[in-house]
Amino acid sequence: MLKILFIADVIGSPGREALRARLPGLKRGTGAHFTIVNAENSAGGFGVTREAAADLFASGADVLTGGNHLWDRKDSIAYIAEEPRLVRPANLPAGTPGHGTLVFRAADGTSIGVVNLLGRVFMKEADCPFRTADAAVESLRSQGVRVIVVDFHAETTAEKVAMGWHLDGRVSAVIGTHTHVQTADERVLPQGTACVSDAGMTGGFESVIGMDRGAALRRFLTLMPERLTPAEGDLRVNAVLVTVDPSTGRAAAIERIQLPHRSVSAGTVKLLTGDQPALSVRYAARAEVERLIAGGVMPTLALVSVGEDPASQIYLKKKSAACAEAGIAIRRVALAAGADTRAVVERVRALGADPDVHGILVQLPLGPQVNAQAVLESIPPARDVDGFHPENVGRLGLGLPCLMPCTPRGILELLRYHQVPLAGKHAVVLGRSPIVGRPLATLLSLKGLDCTVTIGHSASGPALRALAREADLLIAAIGRPEFVTGDWVKSGATVVDVGIHRVPDPTRRGGSRITGDVEFESVAAVAGALSPVPGGVGPMTVAMVVANTVLAAERQAGGVRV
Ligand code: NAP
């Protein structure tokens, strides 16, 4: 399906700043093939200039649309006449510079007709927008263009809704602009035209429709003319995403987007850092280890791996170092790349039968030649410090004592340490892997933690973002860099970023940086609390390897804890 992103009226340099920062992530997150930006207020709040337009194109706009303010800058008329990626209102007298209807090609190759129209109710004179729309649609259809988007720049809701019905089945979308307040009436009409009365605005929201609120108020109170300037505070991007079948031009869905950029409360997000709670867990484990050693038990963890996967080597090194720091003995079993299921299972069974080994951790992945499930099932459940054995999985589901998987256990400890309330909260867990998402969702829903849990996954589709926005606690464990952006997050929500990725970044020494499944900046602008990457969940996972090994050793030594 074709995804068309429409960015609502960009107001001056604050709006352009928000767009520059947020549009690349928004395009990535939505998978947009084509981006239309309403630019009629993009230069100082009135009109468009060559420089403002260049900024918008550099941010990722494919085409700019206009409105009644497009002509506010007399020095830009020549630019409007010559810019082939700018569509000005079509219902203006013949001879007006520029083009009111143009055809573009989206990233997937689909031809898209873009039409810009002015309303006539409470607006300056213009030709009939309905009849102009008919002519534009007829002309585009005669050129074989099936996907058509109309930016209807109008004052009244009635005129915009009427245009939607007038064009239903003949265009893909009628998107209202001009009033700068996003309306909640988005829908796909029966014949397949997506409509919204107003897409909103991109700019400062501590304002009167994008302009400095002090000056705007004085104008109302005194009726004296006063110059308006674009507002700076609480920058946001408003947009709509339309999903269209490119073979018919019919819209399948329309979604409103509100993406925060610089909030008034930016910088107040609480960081759920993992270093301190991880240290506490390791410190407590060390005291237990000393007690066990004093009782004649040397807690020992066997770390099993196959081959030389570089990421696995890093994780093994971190786990070994943390265990050694706590006084746990390490038995390193490194099998050559290519070792088959039987060879790995035999080694694990031998470790399982060794009375001196208390914990066994098999570092995944093992390679395509190994049946990883068979290997995990060959670990005695009492020594399964990763908590992946079906017996531990089943006990976890029943809320019985067991060895829990390290990452979910670490996340619970992270939330406990930072005093994040859970009972009665709505938790949305993105990801359902047996390592992170599924056990965490199970744990959060158990009696005692008492969250109401929703699980999202790759088949959840576009509805997932709206579900995520309902979360008090949002867990991102999907394995996709910076997938979750600010528009996925309810204001004040707690967000836990489980993902860990190395992504290219030419601005950094070494040409790369570590990031999570969450786009830090935009989410930090809206969330109440957020776990950073690195330094959030990662240290907790490692600490829980230590804690689980101690727990397994205590149980096997007939210790106090069950
Ligand atoms: P995984 O086994 O690849 O599972 C990913 C899950 O995300 C799957 O359930 C998948 O759905 C879902 N998913 C993928 N794309 C999606 C999309 N576009 N929309 C919604 N859901 C989507 O990964 P994992 O082992 O759970 O790990 C997740 C991330 O956490 C990775 O980045 C991993 O490196 C990281 N991790 C970090 C730690 C740590 O200590 N910090 C520990 C473990 C993992 P389907 O089930 O439908 O395929």
Side-chain angles (χ1 to χ4, degrees):
M1 294 293 262
L2 173 71
K3 304 264 188 190
I4 301 172
L5 188 61
F6 184 97
I7 305 290
D9 304 33
V10 176
I11 317 292
S13 58
R16 298 204 312 272
E17 176 196 328
L19 202 65
R20 217 179 299 127
R22 293 289 153 248
L23 186 53
L26 188 57
K27 287 174 75 167
R28 215 172 37 240
T30 56
H33 300 96
F34 190 67
T35 302
I36 304 169
V37 175
N38 184 290
E40 69 133 11
N41 298 123
S42 61
F46 300 95
V48 65
T49 58
R50 189 182 297 274
E51 294 71 27
D55 196 359
L56 297 173
F57 287 128
S59 299
D62 293 309
V63 52
L64 308 181
T65 51
N68 57 319
H69 287 296
L70 197 60
W71 319 101
D72 283 0
R73 296 185 171 250
K74 301 291 165 269
D75 51 334
S76 296
I77 289 174
Y79 170 65
I80 293 165
E82 71 188 39
E83 174 56 66
R85 295 165 295 175
L86 188 144
V87 185
R88 52 95 172 142
N91 48 333
L92 293 172
T96 303
H99 303 277
T101 302
L102 284 172
V103 179
F104 301 89
R105 202 166 282 278
D108 71 341
T110 307
S111 293
I112 299 183
V114 179
V115 185
N116 188 200
L117 294 166
L118 285 177
R120 287 200 298 188
V121 182
F122 304 140
M123 306 272 289
K124 281 193 182 152
E125 304 81 9
D127 294 346
C128 173
F130 296 89
R131 292 186 178 85
T132 308
D134 293 341
V137 169
E138 199 175 311
S139 152
L140 288 166
R141 294 229 150 207
S142 72
Q143 296 170 55
V145 177
R146 290 192 178 83
V147 178
I148 302 171
V149 178
V150 176
D151 171 350
F152 189 27
H153 204 79
E155 189 72 51
T156 68
T157 305
E159 194 178 14
K160 294 191 228 186
V161 171
M163 182 63 85
W165 286 111
H166 182 67
L167 293 176
D168 185 22
R170 294 192 286 151
V171 306
S172 310
V174 175
I175 299 170
T177 56
H178 182 61
T179 55
H180 294 192
V181 176
Q182 191 176 73
T183 55
D185 62 339
E186 78 281 11
R187 59 180 164 166
V188 177
L189 297 179
Q191 304 303 316
T193 295
C195 296
V196 66
S197 292
D198 208 286
M201 68 170 187
T202 295
F205 272 66
E206 278 196 323
S207 67
V208 175
I209 60 169
M211 293 300 182
D212 169 54
R213 63 176 192 256
L217 263 174
R218 282 191 297 278
R219 278 175 34 146
F220 281 111
L221 290 169
T222 66
L223 299 184
M224 295 297 287
E226 184 167 348
R227 200 178 132 76
L228 293 175
T229 52
E232 284 283 349
D234 191 7
L235 301 189
R236 299 187 210 171
V237 174
N238 279 187
V240 292
L241 181 70
V242 183
T243 305
V244 179
D245 180 344
S247 63
T248 61
R250 285 175 70 105
I254 176 166
E255 185 189 348
R256 275 181 293 126
I257 295 172
Q258 286 242 16
L259 186 59
H261 170 45
R262 224 182 332 110
S263 134
V264 272
S265 60
T268 62
V269 68
K270 177 176 174 175
L271 285 185
L272 305 177
T273 49
D275 289 335
Q276 197 53 46
L279 188 67
S280 302
V281 170
R282 299 201 312 265
Y283 188 78
R286 190 183 170 83
E288 297 290 330
V289 169
E290 281 167 9
R291 211 176 53 78
L292 283 164
I293 293 173
V297 177
M298 181 65 217
T300 300
L301 172 68
L303 288 172
V304 181
S305 63
V306 175
E308 298 291 326
D309 175 59
S312 293
Q313 297 306 313
I314 294 170
Y315 294 136
L316 285 166
K317 225 169 153 177
K318 284 190 176 167
K319 290 170 187 173
S320 296
C323 285
E325 175 209 59
I328 294 168
I330 295 291
R331 197 80 76 76
R332 201 49 193 92
V333 179
L335 297 164
D340 62 9
T341 306
R342 183 198 289 249
V344 188
V345 166
E346 270 174 16
R347 290 304 290 270
V348 171
R349 285 211 176 117
L351 292 165
D354 185 336
D356 293 334
V357 172
H358 302 97
I360 301 170
L361 188 152
V362 176
Q363 185 65 46
L364 302 175
L366 297 170
Q369 77 287 0
V370 181
N371 178 343
Q373 191 57 32
V375 172
L376 296 178
E377 290 186 25
S378 67
I379 303 173
R383 299 183 183 194
D384 169 33
V385 294
D386 254 340
F388 296 160
H389 190 283
E391 186 176 316
N392 280 317
V393 175
R395 291 181 70 86
L396 180 139
L398 291 169
L400 297 173
C402 62
L403 287 167
M404 289 180 203
C406 296
T407 304
R409 190 179 172 201
I411 292 169
L412 291 188
E413 178 55 24
L414 186 73
L415 295 171
R416 193 200 61 75
Y417 180 89
H418 288 286
Q419 300 181 336
V420 175
L422 295 178
K425 302 294 180 190
H426 183 193
V428 174
V429 180
L430 304 177
R432 59 177 167 184
S433 79
I435 295 172
V436 188
R438 192 172 292 279
L440 183 61
T442 304
L443 284 165
L444 287 168
S445 69
L446 286 178
K447 227 174 177 48
L449 292 175
D450 296 326
C451 285
T452 305
V453 180
T454 303
I455 306 179
H457 45 72
S458 65
S460 298
L464 193 55
R465 187 202 319 245
L467 270 176
R469 265 202 299 258
E470 288 175 16
D472 304 305
L473 171 63
L474 181 64
I475 312 280
I478 52 178
R480 298 187 180 269
E482 299 177 352
F483 188 84
V484 174
T485 44
D487 58 317
W488 285 62
V489 177
K490 181 168 78 177
S491 176
T494 296
V495 180
V496 174
D497 189 356
V498 185
I500 179 143
H501 314 273
R502 184 171 285 284
V503 295
D505 184 346
T507 67
R508 301 288 176 96
R509 214 173 343 138
S512 67
R513 67 186 159 88
I514 301 287
T515 191
D517 285 351
V518 166
E519 188 186 61
F520 185 87
E521 256 198 55
S522 65
V523 172
V526 65
L530 168 63
S531 72
V533 176
V537 174
M540 297 307 296
T541 300
V542 174
M544 289 306 166
V545 172
V546 178
N548 274 356
T549 305
V550 171
L551 190 58
E554 281 177 336
R555 282 187 190 161
Q556 286 159 64
V560 286
R561 278 203 261 165
V562 267

mmCIF file with all atom_site columns, all heavy atoms in Angstrom, residues 26 48 140 282 319 380 450 458-459:
data_model
loop_
_atom_site.group_PDB
_atom_site.id
_atom_site.type_symbol
_atom_site.label_atom_id
_atom_site.label_alt_id
_atom_site.label_comp_id
_atom_site.label_asym_id
_atom_site.label_entity_id
_atom_site.label_seq_id
_atom_site.pdbx_PDB_ins_code
_atom_site.Cartn_x
_atom_site.Cartn_y
_atom_site.Cartn_z
_atom_site.occupancy
_atom_site.B_iso_or_equiv
_atom_site.pdbx_formal_charge
_atom_site.auth_seq_id
_atom_site.auth_comp_id
_atom_site.auth_asym_id
_atom_site.auth_atom_id
_atom_site.pdbx_PDB_model_num
ATOM 1  N N   . LEU A 1 26  ? 9.916  10.499  11.349  1.00 0.00 ? 26  LEU A N   1
ATOM 2  C CA  . LEU A 1 26  ? 8.499  10.267  11.057  1.00 0.00 ? 26  LEU A CA  1
ATOM 3  C C   . LEU A 1 26  ? 8.342  9.500   9.743   1.00 0.00 ? 26  LEU A C   1
ATOM 4  O O   . LEU A 1 26  ? 7.538  8.561   9.638   1.00 0.00 ? 26  LEU A O   1
ATOM 5  C CB  . LEU A 1 26  ? 7.777  11.616  10.980  1.00 0.00 ? 26  LEU A CB  1
ATOM 6  C CG  . LEU A 1 26  ? 6.254  11.586  10.868  1.00 0.00 ? 26  LEU A CG  1
ATOM 7  C CD1 . LEU A 1 26  ? 5.633  10.820  12.017  1.00 0.00 ? 26  LEU A CD1 1
ATOM 8  C CD2 . LEU A 1 26  ? 5.702  13.005  10.839  1.00 0.00 ? 26  LEU A CD2 1
ATOM 9  N N   . VAL A 1 48  ? 5.848  32.068  1.643   1.00 0.00 ? 48  VAL A N   1
ATOM 10 C CA  . VAL A 1 48  ? 6.973  31.146  1.478   1.00 0.00 ? 48  VAL A CA  1
ATOM 11 C C   . VAL A 1 48  ? 8.083  31.862  0.705   1.00 0.00 ? 48  VAL A C   1
ATOM 12 O O   . VAL A 1 48  ? 7.787  32.644  -0.201  1.00 0.00 ? 48  VAL A O   1
ATOM 13 C CB  . VAL A 1 48  ? 6.523  29.849  0.753   1.00 0.00 ? 48  VAL A CB  1
ATOM 14 C CG1 . VAL A 1 48  ? 6.069  30.115  -0.667  1.00 0.00 ? 48  VAL A CG1 1
ATOM 15 C CG2 . VAL A 1 48  ? 7.618  28.791  0.763   1.00 0.00 ? 48  VAL A CG2 1
ATOM 16 N N   . LEU A 1 140 ? -6.511 15.174  -14.364 1.00 0.00 ? 140 LEU A N   1
ATOM 17 C CA  . LEU A 1 140 ? -5.546 14.185  -13.833 1.00 0.00 ? 140 LEU A CA  1
ATOM 18 C C   . LEU A 1 140 ? -5.930 12.782  -14.267 1.00 0.00 ? 140 LEU A C   1
ATOM 19 O O   . LEU A 1 140 ? -5.086 11.971  -14.644 1.00 0.00 ? 140 LEU A O   1
ATOM 20 C CB  . LEU A 1 140 ? -5.495 14.279  -12.297 1.00 0.00 ? 140 LEU A CB  1
ATOM 21 C CG  . LEU A 1 140 ? -4.796 15.536  -11.754 1.00 0.00 ? 140 LEU A CG  1
ATOM 22 C CD1 . LEU A 1 140 ? -5.088 15.729  -10.273 1.00 0.00 ? 140 LEU A CD1 1
ATOM 23 C CD2 . LEU A 1 140 ? -3.288 15.445  -11.992 1.00 0.00 ? 140 LEU A CD2 1
ATOM 24 N N   . ARG A 1 282 ? 24.192 -6.502  42.222  1.00 0.00 ? 282 ARG A N   1
ATOM 25 C CA  . ARG A 1 282 ? 25.470 -7.224  42.222  1.00 0.00 ? 282 ARG A CA  1
ATOM 26 C C   . ARG A 1 282 ? 26.096 -7.198  43.621  1.00 0.00 ? 282 ARG A C   1
ATOM 27 O O   . ARG A 1 282 ? 26.703 -8.172  44.060  1.00 0.00 ? 282 ARG A O   1
ATOM 28 C CB  . ARG A 1 282 ? 26.435 -6.626  41.188  1.00 0.00 ? 282 ARG A CB  1
ATOM 29 C CG  . ARG A 1 282 ? 25.895 -6.699  39.761  1.00 0.00 ? 282 ARG A CG  1
ATOM 30 C CD  . ARG A 1 282 ? 26.990 -6.588  38.713  1.00 0.00 ? 282 ARG A CD  1
ATOM 31 N NE  . ARG A 1 282 ? 27.894 -5.506  38.961  1.00 0.00 ? 282 ARG A NE  1
ATOM 32 C CZ  . ARG A 1 282 ? 27.810 -4.292  38.430  1.00 0.00 ? 282 ARG A CZ  1
ATOM 33 N NH1 . ARG A 1 282 ? 26.816 -4.004  37.600  1.00 0.00 ? 282 ARG A NH1 1
ATOM 34 N NH2 . ARG A 1 282 ? 28.695 -3.367  38.697  1.00 0.00 ? 282 ARG A NH2 1
ATOM 35 N N   . LYS A 1 319 ? 29.055 -10.632 31.093  1.00 0.00 ? 319 LYS A N   1
ATOM 36 C CA  . LYS A 1 319 ? 28.467 -11.536 32.090  1.00 0.00 ? 319 LYS A CA  1
ATOM 37 C C   . LYS A 1 319 ? 29.575 -12.159 32.941  1.00 0.00 ? 319 LYS A C   1
ATOM 38 O O   . LYS A 1 319 ? 29.446 -12.254 34.168  1.00 0.00 ? 319 LYS A O   1
ATOM 39 C CB  . LYS A 1 319 ? 27.640 -12.627 31.388  1.00 0.00 ? 319 LYS A CB  1
ATOM 40 C CG  . LYS A 1 319 ? 26.368 -12.087 30.765  1.00 0.00 ? 319 LYS A CG  1
ATOM 41 C CD  . LYS A 1 319 ? 25.677 -13.113 29.868  1.00 0.00 ? 319 LYS A CD  1
ATOM 42 C CE  . LYS A 1 319 ? 24.508 -12.476 29.123  1.00 0.00 ? 319 LYS A CE  1
ATOM 43 N NZ  . LYS A 1 319 ? 23.909 -13.368 28.130  1.00 0.00 ? 319 LYS A NZ  1
ATOM 44 N N   . PRO A 1 380 ? 19.178 -28.644 33.119  1.00 0.00 ? 380 PRO A N   1
ATOM 45 C CA  . PRO A 1 380 ? 18.287 -28.932 34.252  1.00 0.00 ? 380 PRO A CA  1
ATOM 46 C C   . PRO A 1 380 ? 17.595 -27.635 34.706  1.00 0.00 ? 380 PRO A C   1
ATOM 47 O O   . PRO A 1 380 ? 18.279 -26.616 34.887  1.00 0.00 ? 380 PRO A O   1
ATOM 48 C CB  . PRO A 1 380 ? 19.235 -29.479 35.332  1.00 0.00 ? 380 PRO A CB  1
ATOM 49 C CG  . PRO A 1 380 ? 20.472 -29.891 34.604  1.00 0.00 ? 380 PRO A CG  1
ATOM 50 C CD  . PRO A 1 380 ? 20.581 -29.004 33.413  1.00 0.00 ? 380 PRO A CD  1
ATOM 51 N N   . ASP A 1 450 ? -0.065 -6.586  38.829  1.00 0.00 ? 450 ASP A N   1
ATOM 52 C CA  . ASP A 1 450 ? -1.419 -6.073  38.571  1.00 0.00 ? 450 ASP A CA  1
ATOM 53 C C   . ASP A 1 450 ? -1.560 -5.047  37.451  1.00 0.00 ? 450 ASP A C   1
ATOM 54 O O   . ASP A 1 450 ? -2.395 -4.143  37.531  1.00 0.00 ? 450 ASP A O   1
ATOM 55 C CB  . ASP A 1 450 ? -2.009 -5.488  39.874  1.00 0.00 ? 450 ASP A CB  1
ATOM 56 C CG  . ASP A 1 450 ? -2.182 -6.555  40.942  1.00 0.00 ? 450 ASP A CG  1
ATOM 57 O OD1 . ASP A 1 450 ? -2.489 -7.700  40.579  1.00 0.00 ? 450 ASP A OD1 1
ATOM 58 O OD2 . ASP A 1 450 ? -1.971 -6.237  42.134  1.00 0.00 ? 450 ASP A OD2 1
ATOM 59 N N   . SER A 1 458 ? 4.569  -7.949  15.190  1.00 0.00 ? 458 SER A N   1
ATOM 60 C CA  . SER A 1 458 ? 4.729  -7.493  13.802  1.00 0.00 ? 458 SER A CA  1
ATOM 61 C C   . SER A 1 458 ? 3.435  -7.589  13.003  1.00 0.00 ? 458 SER A C   1
ATOM 62 O O   . SER A 1 458 ? 3.306  -6.947  11.972  1.00 0.00 ? 458 SER A O   1
ATOM 63 C CB  . SER A 1 458 ? 5.831  -8.293  13.110  1.00 0.00 ? 458 SER A CB  1
ATOM 64 O OG  . SER A 1 458 ? 5.447  -9.635  13.007  1.00 0.00 ? 458 SER A OG  1
ATOM 65 N N   . ALA A 1 459 ? 2.466  -8.372  13.480  1.00 0.00 ? 459 ALA A N   1
ATOM 66 C CA  . ALA A 1 459 ? 1.202  -8.483  12.744  1.00 0.00 ? 459 ALA A CA  1
ATOM 67 C C   . ALA A 1 459 ? 0.130  -7.552  13.305  1.00 0.00 ? 459 ALA A C   1
ATOM 68 O O   . ALA A 1 459 ? -1.006 -7.585  12.857  1.00 0.00 ? 459 ALA A O   1
ATOM 69 C CB  . ALA A 1 459 ? 0.716  -9.935  12.782  1.00 0.00 ? 459 ALA A CB  1
#
